[in-house]
Amino acid sequence: MGAVPLFATHRAAITGPARGVTVEIGGIPILLQSNDAAFCRMLGQRYAGFLNPATEPACSFEIDLRSSATPSDEDARVSRRGHFWVLERGDFLAEWDSRSRRGWIRQSPNPYSIDTLLRLVHSLLLAEEGGFLLHAASAVRRGRAFLFSGISGAGKTTISRLAPSDANLLTDEISYVRRAARDYRAFGTPFAGELARPGENLSAPLGALYFLEKGPVNRIEPMARMATARALLRNVLFFAHDRELVQRVFDSALDFVSRVEVARLIFAPDQRVWTLIQ
């Protein structure tokens, strides 16, 4: 028996005139629709630098707000039923049809739920084309993008705060990486980390990925290719339990480290570290 879509039965629960905003992150526009005007205004304000109402959306979601859904800190769960993806956590339940590129979301009326949903959907879209979301800060300087990855406390927020005036911050938390024809590009995202501000909506070809480590002096150390691939995979944000897409992410990581400079950046909390990054 094939997968049973929930979308058709859910649509009847969404009544009244639908309003919407198109949020374009990483060059991929997603239309978010709701009949709640206040919620749509909140979306417009939250993603203000990433709205593109004139473009044709790559996919769309109808949002049904339920006040009974409570905020949750648990991990999201992503599974596939045929060509239907089911995304869920305590504060939301969603389904997305990967063929029609349409879906629905039932969630609590808070921005954190939709933030998480967008990250999950983009992680699936990127995996299909050879890109990924990475737990990393990133910035553009002199026409190239630089990623700074590491576990919590490694220094992503610190190095973002130390960025000089000629650097444009893409994110201090989750970096957006897309495969281009011959290289990779990093894009700004609206997902704020500890700096509590969205990144700039621009992109640039990747110059390097640095794995951060705090130390007494500033220096760059080379890393073996397999070590860089393992470190990269540990920091990729991917929640789907799907063998095919997991293999694609693995292959993308190997391709990435063969095309992009990857090294360890040991740094002191001092703006002089940016003299090494150019």
Side-chain angles (χ1 to χ4, degrees), residues 156-239:
K156 295 184 294 296
T157 301
T158 300
I159 204 160
S160 299
R161 286 198 182 103
L162 294 172
S165 59
D166 66 344
N168 300 98
L169 187 66
L170 299 177
T171 177
D172 70 325
E173 181 67 18
I174 297 175
S175 290
Y176 196 109
V177 178
R178 287 192 76 176
R179 181 81 163 85
R182 296 181 180 179
D183 57 10
Y184 287 84
R185 294 185 72 87
F187 290 77
T189 80
F191 307 127
E194 289 185 31
L195 293 183
R197 71 171 190 261
E200 296 190 49
N201 189 5
L202 51 85
S203 74
L206 264 167
L209 163 63
Y210 297 112
F211 288 102
L212 298 176
E213 183 179 317
K214 292 180 180 177
V217 295
N218 300 319
R219 68 180 188 275
I220 294 174
E221 291 184 350
M223 297 175 64
R225 183 183 174 193
M226 289 310 299
T228 61
R230 287 192 295 269
L232 177 63
L233 286 166
R234 283 196 296 269
N235 288 281
V236 169
L237 279 73
F238 194 72
F239 300 91

